RNA sequence: CGGGGAGUGGCGCAGCCAGGUAGCGCACCUGUUUUGGGUACAGGGGGUCGGAGGUUCGAAUCCUCUCUCCCCGACCA
């Protein structure tokens, strides 16, 4: 318990924001770059992102969506077309105005005034406009629909305040863009993407989420409907982990995406867009991290098993390494969670004990220590990252098991870890959603008295619009609260609106958010 | 972008108020010791003190400007 000596210097309960940063650096995920709001993603962090990409990409392709790549630069005129979109993004755009540098005469360089672009290019904050432009050329007939595209790319949004992975000026993501003949088809796609995100994030990243529709004030600029999956972090705040938008015909009208229907008349397409980003890595940290660093769920772990030979700089090391290599090959032949087990034999020089703590902080699901005596006895010393400590003794809960038993059970073990991480997170999430609050003062009181771990509150409302909604948003803002979403498939409303006192029409989740 | 805080070897910090030419812990390297393990001891390497300009005989320390990061707010994935 208290005698446990943790691998990090900051504990979650002491200072969650500081702890988060320490995990990012201690787990070797990323570091500051010196460029405002931009980060360098290091091998372990990028490896996790690559796993997410891989699993998400498989799901995207299974749905019949094709990958493409569009330019990072968007002509200003192109970007200007959709009014709400412009209004939403204009204030956070990076703009390219010159194409050449010249010496400033003081040993430095400045943009060449002679090389000013006739029309500035904006760095994409998202690609609806430029992809819409292509769609207008690619779609002619109802036979061309649906057109379903995706791209993996970087985007730039000039953020006021940034946080590693959660909100950076440049981030990596996937953006799906589809065009359909009818509203029904586009809505179906919007929900299909949302469900795909729910499944990927819950099953692969082990982050329990609540899928639902965003209220009007939280909609994507230019969307008719915005849906999200919301995950609860360990400090009780909500993290939007993925969004899916039904764009109506707004972008189709702006970009002139039309098709000729079976009757020969021109119709505007109904489009959708949906995205998930490197923010998911931040969600992984704030959901599965503990006071010893990160815990990576096996499905997204670049390496699921780390073999650490206890090398002693002696001739016997060769035999031990051969034994470990044999162990590695044996494990790699097994399947876990539908894929070959990913094993790393860490032969890097250095003390095994120091390397063990490095892997603990990084969150490799299983660490195997193999010394000469293990080799002799045919055993391995196995450490499960998700249940690291023996809380009674305050020591690591290392298990000495027979090598053969361990190898044949690896698939089941990794599955157990994946499941238990998800269960731990979803139990915590469920325990911290409070339902049945009917008075606004109780909501205020709730957040006053649960400052450390606010959690979420479900309330009923009358779904006001326009200025009435603005008033509600102001009221929430005063308590640092936001409406997360209207959970999909929740019970119908049966009370009165907590804000207006009118008859309630639906249930919403209220929370503090990242 | 407003308010507050901070940038000193890889990490965490002291020194700055009362200018004199850089220090501690961890990590790292070498050696010895130890060997079911976050070992111990000894020796050693590494920093133009975020950057630029200024004051001064002399600046990590004082002044000006600037960049970056953190916290709070406004904005947002």
């Amino acid at each position: 318990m208290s005698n446990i000596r943790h691998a990090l210097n900051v504990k979650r309960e002491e200072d969650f924001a500081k702890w988060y940063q320490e995990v990012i650096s201690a787990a070797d995920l990323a570091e500051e770059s010196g460029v405002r709001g931009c980060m360098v993603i290091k091998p372990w962090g990028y490896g996790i992102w690559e796993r997410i990409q891989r699993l998400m990409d498989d799901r995207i392709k299974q749905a019949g969506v094709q990958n493409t790549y569009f330019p990072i630069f968007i002509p200003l005129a192109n970007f200007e077309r959709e009014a709400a979109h412009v209004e939403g993004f204009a204030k956070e755009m990076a703009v390219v105005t010159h194409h050449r540098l010249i010496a400033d005469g003081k040993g430095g360089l400045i943009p060449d005034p002679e090389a000013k672009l006739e029309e500035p290019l904006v760095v994409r904050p998202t690609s609806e406009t430029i992809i819409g432009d292509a769609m207008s050329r690619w779609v002619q007939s109802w036979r061309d629909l649906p057109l379903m595209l995706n791209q993996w790319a970087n985007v730039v949004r000039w953020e006021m305040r940034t946080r590693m992975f959660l909100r950076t000026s440049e981030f990596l993501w996937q953006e799906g863009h589809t065009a359909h003949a009818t509203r029904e088809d586009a809505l179906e796609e919007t929900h299909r993407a949302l469900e795909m995100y729910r499944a990927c994030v819950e099953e692969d990243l082990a982050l329990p989420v609540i899928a639902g529709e965003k209220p009007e004030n939280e909609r994507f600029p230019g969307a008719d409907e915005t849906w999200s999956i919301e995950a609860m972090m360990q400090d009780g705040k909500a993290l939007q982990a993925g969004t899916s938008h039904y764009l109506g015909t707004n972008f189709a009208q702006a970009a002139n995406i039309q098709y000729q229907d079976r009757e020969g008349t021109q119709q505007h397409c109904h489009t959708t867009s949906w995205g998930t980003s490197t923010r998911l890595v931040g969600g992984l940290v704030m959901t599965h991290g503990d006071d010893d660093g990160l815990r990576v769920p096996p499905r997204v772990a670049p390496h699921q098993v780390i073999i650490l030979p206890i090398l002693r700089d002696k001739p016997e090391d060769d035999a031990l390494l051969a034994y470990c290599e044999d162990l590695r090959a044996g494990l790699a032949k097994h399947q876990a969670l539908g894929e070959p087990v990913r094993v790393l034999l860490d032969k890097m020089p250095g003390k095994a004990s120091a390397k063990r703590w490095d892997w603990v902080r990084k969150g490799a699901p299983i660490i195997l220590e193999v010394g000469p005596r293990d080799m002799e006895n045919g055993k391995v010393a196995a450490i499960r990252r998700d249940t690291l400590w023996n809380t009674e003794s305050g020591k690591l809960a290392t298990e000495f098991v027979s090598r053969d038993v361990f190898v044949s059970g690896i698939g089941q073990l990794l599955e157990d870890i994946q499941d238990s991480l998800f269960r731990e997170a979803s139990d915590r999430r469920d325990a911290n959603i409070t339902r049945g609050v009917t008075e606004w003062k109780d909501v205020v009181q709730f957040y006053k008295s649960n400052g450390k771990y606010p959690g979420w509150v479900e309330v009923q409302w009358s779904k006001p619009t326009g200025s009435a909604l603005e008033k509600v948003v102001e009221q929430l803002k005063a308590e640092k609260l936001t409406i997360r979403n209207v959970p999909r498939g929740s019970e119908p409303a049966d009370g009165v609106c907590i804000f207006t006192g009118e008859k309630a029409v639906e249930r919403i989740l209220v929370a503090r958010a990242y």
Side-chain angles (χ1 to χ4, degrees):
Chain A
M1 306 276 216
S2 56
N3 55 341
I4 290 178
R5 186 179 154 200
H6 287 289
L8 298 185
N9 301 313
V10 186
K11 307 220 173 341
R12 285 163 292 178
E13 318 84 71
E14 288 166 4
D15 186 338
F16 197 78
K18 199 172 175 195
W19 166 84
Y20 175 76
Q21 288 179 167
E22 189 174 352
V23 176
I24 302 283
S25 88
D28 221 20
L29 299 176
E31 63 181 29
E32 296 296 341
S33 66
V35 179
R36 184 190 185 79
C38 296
M39 62 177 175
V40 176
I41 306 178
K42 300 176 81 173
W44 186 246
Y46 199 76
I48 293 170
W49 175 239
E50 281 184 308
R51 285 293 309 162
I52 296 171
Q53 272 189 305
R54 166 75 165 287
L55 295 164
M56 187 73 83
D57 198 55
D58 285 350
R59 292 178 189 268
I60 290 169
K61 285 181 178 138
Q62 265 168 31
V65 180
Q66 305 178 90
N67 276 335
T68 51
Y69 186 78
F70 284 80
I72 190 171
F73 300 126
I74 301 177
L76 192 54
N78 195 320
F79 189 79
E80 284 168 348
R81 286 181 199 146
E82 214 288 331
H85 194 64
V86 170
E87 202 192 325
F89 284 107
K91 54 193 176 296
E92 53 183 41
M93 306 286 289
V95 186
V96 179
T97 54
H98 293 74
H99 64 81
R100 193 195 304 146
L101 296 170
I102 53 163
D104 64 356
K106 290 178 261 177
L109 292 166
I110 52 165
D112 184 350
E114 300 294 309
K116 196 163 179 199
L117 294 180
E118 210 144 287
E119 184 187 9
L121 296 168
V122 302
V123 179
R124 65 178 163 223
T126 177
S127 303
E128 273 75 8
T129 58
I130 197 161
I131 292 182
D133 190 61
M135 282 177 161
S136 72
R137 281 175 278 115
W138 298 353
V139 175
Q140 301 292 328
S141 130
W142 63 273
R143 293 173 207 277
D144 297 325
L145 299 174
L147 177 59
M148 301 200 285
L149 307 174
N150 179 63
Q151 82 168 344
W152 289 93
N154 58 338
V155 286
V156 170
R157 297 177 189 179
W158 217 259
E159 296 292 347
M160 293 285 119
R161 188 172 160 194
T162 60
R163 279 160 157 274
M164 295 268 241
F165 287 107
L166 299 176
R167 175 165 293 103
T168 46
S169 297
E170 178 192 19
F171 58 95
L172 306 181
W173 77 346
Q174 132 309 285
E175 49 179 324
H177 297 270
T178 68
H180 306 264
T182 64
R183 172 188 155 84
E184 290 66 41
D185 289 354
L187 280 171
E188 192 185 327
E189 171 61 13
T190 304
H191 290 113
R192 194 232 102 224
L194 187 76
E195 175 54 21
M196 173 181 73
Y197 287 157
R198 198 232 92 229
C200 179
V201 171
E202 291 199 332
E203 292 164 16
D204 300 336
L205 284 82
L207 306 183
V209 296
I210 290 190
E213 185 178 0
K214 286 285 197 187
E216 179 190 313
N217 62 304
E218 299 271 352
R219 265 182 214 146
F220 175 76
D224 280 3
E225 289 182 17
T226 286
W227 293 71
S228 74
I229 50 171
E230 303 283 332
M232 187 187 285
M233 303 296 101
Q234 286 187 65
D235 62 350
K237 288 197 195 172
L239 181 77
Q240 182 172 306
T243 49
S244 183
H245 317 289
Y246 166 60
L247 304 174
T249 58
N250 303 332
F251 285 87
Q253 287 181 33
N256 199 29
I257 312 171
Q258 295 192 68
Y259 69 96
Q260 203 168 23
D261 67 18
R262 288 163 208 246
E263 279 74 49
T265 38
Q266 290 292 323
Q267 302 278 1
H268 280 112
C269 286
H270 293 254
T271 64
T272 81
S273 70
W274 27 274
T276 53
S277 71
T278 36
R279 172 178 253 204
L280 286 172
V281 178
L284 215 54
V285 170
M286 291 196 290
T287 301
H288 299 310
D290 65 13
D291 294 339
D292 296 292
L294 180 57
R295 297 184 298 171
V296 190
R299 277 191 202 270
V300 292
H303 307 303
Q304 297 164 317
V305 184
I306 307 296
I307 302 174
L308 282 181
I310 311 291
L311 299 172
R312 304 196 299 170
D313 223 7
K314 291 186 175 162
E316 299 91 273
D317 286 356
D318 289 343
L320 183 63
L321 277 173
Y323 178 82
C324 287
E325 170 52 32
D326 194 52
L327 173 62
R328 188 203 63 75
L331 283 165
K333 274 188 209 130
H334 279 71
Q335 297 266 318
L337 301 157
E339 292 178 275
V341 176
R342 296 184 290 281
V343 198
L344 175 74
L345 170 53
D346 186 352
K347 296 189 218 176
M348 293 284 281
K351 281 177 279 190
S353 52
K355 294 200 304 184
R356 171 174 73 218
W357 290 105
D358 287 343
W359 285 113
V360 164
R361 283 184 282 261
K362 286 183 173 191
I366 299 167
I367 300 166
L368 289 185
E369 297 182 356
V370 185
R373 200 182 303 171
D374 299 315
M375 178 166 69
E376 220 162 283
N377 302 337
K379 298 207 162 187
V380 293
I383 298 170
R384 257 180 82 152
R385 180 61 184 85
D386 63 324
T387 52
L388 191 62
W389 299 100
N390 177 325
T391 46
E392 276 175 31
S393 68
K395 292 186 173 158
L396 285 173
T398 310
E399 262 201 85
F400 294 87
V401 291
S402 122
R403 172 195 159 151
D404 295 340
V405 169
F406 180 84
V407 171
S408 60
I410 186 63
Q412 188 59 51
L413 180 55
L414 287 168
E415 247 171 75
D416 288 350
I417 294 174
Q418 181 83 29
D419 290 348
S420 89
L421 284 172
F422 181 76
R423 202 170 320 113
E424 187 184 317
S426 61
D427 285 351
R428 184 173 52 229
R429 193 265 317 264
D430 293 344
N432 288 285
I433 298 181
T434 304
R435 294 168 209 277
V437 182
T438 55
E439 298 289 332
W440 174 247
K441 64 173 169 49
D442 292 340
V443 173
V444 173
Q445 186 51 41
F446 178 84
Y447 283 98
K448 279 220 166 70
S449 52
N450 293 283
K452 195 102 181 174
Y453 197 105
W456 303 354
V457 173
E458 186 199 75
V459 300
Q460 301 193 23
W461 79 333
S462 55
K463 199 177 183 179
T465 57
S467 60
L469 173 59
E470 266 171 49
K471 222 182 115 196
V472 168
V473 171
E474 283 305 312
Q475 192 174 338
L476 287 161
K477 196 186 269 181
E479 305 302 322
K480 296 184 193 171
L481 293 169
T482 58
I483 300 171
R484 300 323 298 162
N485 65 23
V486 180
R488 194 174 58 178
S490 58
E491 296 283 305
D494 58 5
V496 297
C497 175
I498 197 166
F499 305 109
T500 64
E502 292 164 19
K503 188 173 164 20
V505 299
E506 60 191 13
R507 292 164 195 268
I508 57 175
L509 279 178
V510 163
R512 296 200 170 137
Y514 278 98

